Amino acid sequence: MPALRSWFTIPRGSHFSLANIPFGIVSTATSNSPRVAVAIGDHALDLEAFAANNGFSALSAIQPHQAVFSEPSLNSFAALGRPMHAVVRKYIQSVFAEDTPYPDVLKNNAALQKQALFPLKDVQKHLPFKIGDYTDFFVGMNHAYNCGVMFRGAANALNPNYKYLPVGYHGRASSIVPSGTPIRRPHGQFLPNPAADEKVPVYAHIKKLDYELELGAFVCKPNKMGEPVPIGQAEDNLFGLVMLNDWSARDVQSWEYVPLGPFNAKNFGSSISTWVVLMDALEPFKVKGIENDKEVLPYLKEKDDKTVYDIQLKVDLKTNSGSTTTVANSNGRHLLWSFPQCLAHHTSTGCNLQTGDLLGSGTISGTAAGEYGCLLEGTEGGKKPFKVGDEERTFLQDGDEVTFTGVCGTDEEALVGFGQVTGRIEPALNLGY
């Protein structure tokens, strides 16, 4: 498919080509009220200003709902449903198209361009949704297997249920933050010497701070309590994807996870990218995921075998000294279960998901060195340090900055990307005990 061309200058290699049109929440120096925008090249189109100046004059479907673009989250726009998301995205694409049928809307309207188009470097980006609940799944099978080998041996690496259902845990929505927000090293209870015969924990700042390379999906359509979402309808309940860094305290996790799984090891911070890539924009990049050699139960069986996305994922680590190393390259295809399957399973008991709920994929790892989505895997639990410039790392140190990048496609004029999600580690507080 040839790249869509625009009258507006979009730099080659931009994640926000005309093929993308991701949605987010921004504020500016001229107006500090957060509102809805889309990213286009190295600019943001303020949809509140665009709507207020008849930008949607040729799209009758959205006109009764234009107030959603003045809200400080995407929740109300998302709740309008995927058909509305699709027509708004296509309309914005047509407004920016080289041969736009609506030249007077923006192309020939210098006043509106000045009022509604802002360089991305000049806008403040916020959390895209008001997130009510957050469930993190564990559907990156390579990661699950590698961690299982470390803790239980190869014969018992995957639990018996792993290939029959998407395993997940209930995360903490209140500590999800937008890209660029610093992450403070937490304190926690853990074993200072796990190999000791007597298991006596301490409470101190954690030593084994890790990142987790994940994707996250936002729910747009709620379901009623007691009414599961059929697998054939589950994708219609999803708005779009972001990149997700589910920061992890590995020393706390190894002490607390039996018998109920992650808790404080995961609740101190999760970072997400600020532009949400719509499901429609990702559709051309659907691929097969990891093949499941078990018979999936009917409520989880999808008709199409292309259920995940060819998203090129990269992890960079920058130290205080300025040295930067690409720690890992992975791909969104390394998932056993899809987001529709995760949603169908989540609601299979009748659990009622809400607009703005976030579903995480769990760590996405490949099968070889250099493809691991966390340091726990890459350093074999801290046994094998790696180099960042002249320094060594096993886990993250204070001042380290982790950046995830995700993008679909190879045509530099038609990339569909997420930008970045970045977080810098701040020292732990001195608690005095």
Side-chain angles (χ1 to χ4, degrees):
M1 181 182 295
L4 299 173
R5 300 195 178 278
S6 178
W7 56 265
F8 187 69
T9 301
I10 300 175
R12 286 181 64 86
S14 170
H15 282 204
F16 310 131
S17 72
L18 198 54
N20 193 350
I21 313 295
F23 286 73
I25 299 295
V26 303
S27 58
T28 58
T30 55
S31 175
N32 60 10
S33 297
R35 66 271 191 193
V36 178
V38 295
I40 178 79
D42 54 8
H43 282 70
L45 176 67
D46 178 344
L47 294 189
E48 179 183 52
F50 186 70
N53 290 275
N54 298 315
F56 287 106
S57 58
L59 184 64
S60 59
I62 193 62
Q63 289 174 15
H65 310 287
Q66 291 184 88
V68 300
F69 299 126
S70 300
E71 297 195 11
S73 77
L74 289 171
N75 293 58
S76 293
F77 173 63
L80 295 176
R82 284 194 57 179
M84 185 65 78
H85 312 156
V87 298
V88 170
R89 172 175 170 263
K90 288 179 180 177
Y91 176 74
I92 293 171
Q93 286 176 319
S94 69
V95 166
F96 278 98
E98 190 173 56
D99 56 351
T100 176
Y102 316 113
D104 294 333
V105 169
L106 195 62
K107 182 179 181 180
N108 298 335
N109 191 337
L112 183 52
Q113 289 184 38
K114 185 176 181 180
Q115 194 169 358
L117 279 167
F118 298 91
L120 287 176
K121 64 181 179 61
D122 295 337
V123 302
Q124 176 69 36
K125 296 177 283 293
H126 304 270
L127 275 180
F129 277 86
K130 182 179 180 182
I131 305 169
D133 265 309
Y134 163 45
T135 300
D136 199 23
F137 287 88
F138 190 50
V139 300
M141 194 177 82
N142 298 324
H143 168 72
Y145 177 80
N146 292 336
C147 292
V149 169
M150 275 189 270
F151 296 121
R152 295 183 296 276
N156 300 301
L158 296 178
N159 287 317
N161 64 359
Y162 190 82
K163 294 182 179 180
Y164 289 99
L165 58 84
V167 176
Y169 75 90
H170 191 199
R172 185 69 189 171
S174 64
S175 54
I176 297 174
V177 295
S179 174
T181 305
I183 298 295
R184 186 175 296 282
R185 181 180 297 275
H187 286 70
Q189 184 183 128
F190 58 91
L191 294 177
N193 182 10
D197 292 336
E198 188 176 2
K199 307 301 183 187
V200 179
V202 297
Y203 177 75
H205 69 265
I206 66 151
K207 308 298 190 294
K208 298 180 178 179
L209 182 56
D210 202 354
Y211 58 79
E212 290 195 347
L213 175 64
E214 305 191 23
L215 294 168
F218 278 106
V219 174
C220 63
K221 184 178 179 181
N223 61 294
K224 292 181 181 179
M225 185 175 178
E227 298 184 9
V229 178
I231 185 64
Q233 300 173 20
E235 192 171 14
D236 292 338
N237 289 47
L238 297 172
F239 179 77
L241 302 190
V242 291
M243 287 184 298
L244 166 65
N245 186 346
D246 191 38
W247 304 92
S248 297
R250 298 302 189 186
D251 31 16
V252 173
Q253 184 177 359
S254 63
W255 173 237
E256 75 174 4
Y257 85 99
V258 177
L260 293 181
F263 178 37
N264 281 337
K266 303 279 191 173
N267 69 6
F268 61 92
S270 300
S271 304
I272 63 172
S273 52
T274 52
W275 296 106
V276 187
V277 179
L278 294 185
M279 307 306 290
D280 286 344
L282 293 167
E283 190 70 21
F285 306 100
K286 273 190 169 179
V287 292
K288 295 180 181 180
I290 296 173
E291 185 176 353
N292 195 336
D293 57 9
K294 301 296 185 183
E295 182 66 24
V296 176
L297 293 173
Y299 81 98
L300 289 172
K301 190 171 291 185
E302 296 184 278
K303 292 181 180 179
D304 192 346
D305 60 358
K306 293 182 178 181
T307 60
V308 298
Y309 302 97
D310 181 10
I311 304 171
Q312 302 154 50
L313 300 168
K314 185 176 72 161
V315 182
D316 290 322
L317 176 59
K318 180 181 179 181
T319 68
N320 257 337
S321 66
S323 297
T324 302
T325 292
T326 295
V327 182
N329 289 281
S330 188
N331 195 287
R333 67 173 65 236
H334 296 312
L335 298 175
L336 181 67
W337 300 97
S338 70
F339 279 116
Q341 286 174 314
C342 290
L343 189 143
H345 181 65
H346 203 318
T347 66
S348 63
T349 57
C351 172
N352 51 320
L353 298 182
Q354 303 292 331
T355 301
D357 285 355
L358 180 63
L359 309 178
S361 65
T363 305
I364 304 174
S365 294
T367 57
E371 298 177 347
Y372 300 135
C374 66
L375 295 178
L376 180 69
E377 291 174 87
T379 67
E380 295 185 12
K383 297 175 183 176
K384 292 187 175 181
F386 62 94
K387 285 280 191 179
V388 184
D390 295 330
E391 303 177 57
E392 282 193 342
R393 289 291 185 274
T394 51
F395 291 98
L396 298 174
Q397 295 186 13
D398 296 344
D400 286 350
E401 184 176 86
V402 178
T403 298
F404 295 171
T405 307
V407 65
C408 302
T410 57
D411 185 342
E412 290 202 342
E413 292 184 337
L415 297 179
V416 173
F418 298 80
Q420 296 180 331
V421 56
T422 298
R424 185 177 183 274
I425 305 304
E426 292 190 337
L429 291 174
N430 183 359
L431 299 180
Y433 54 85

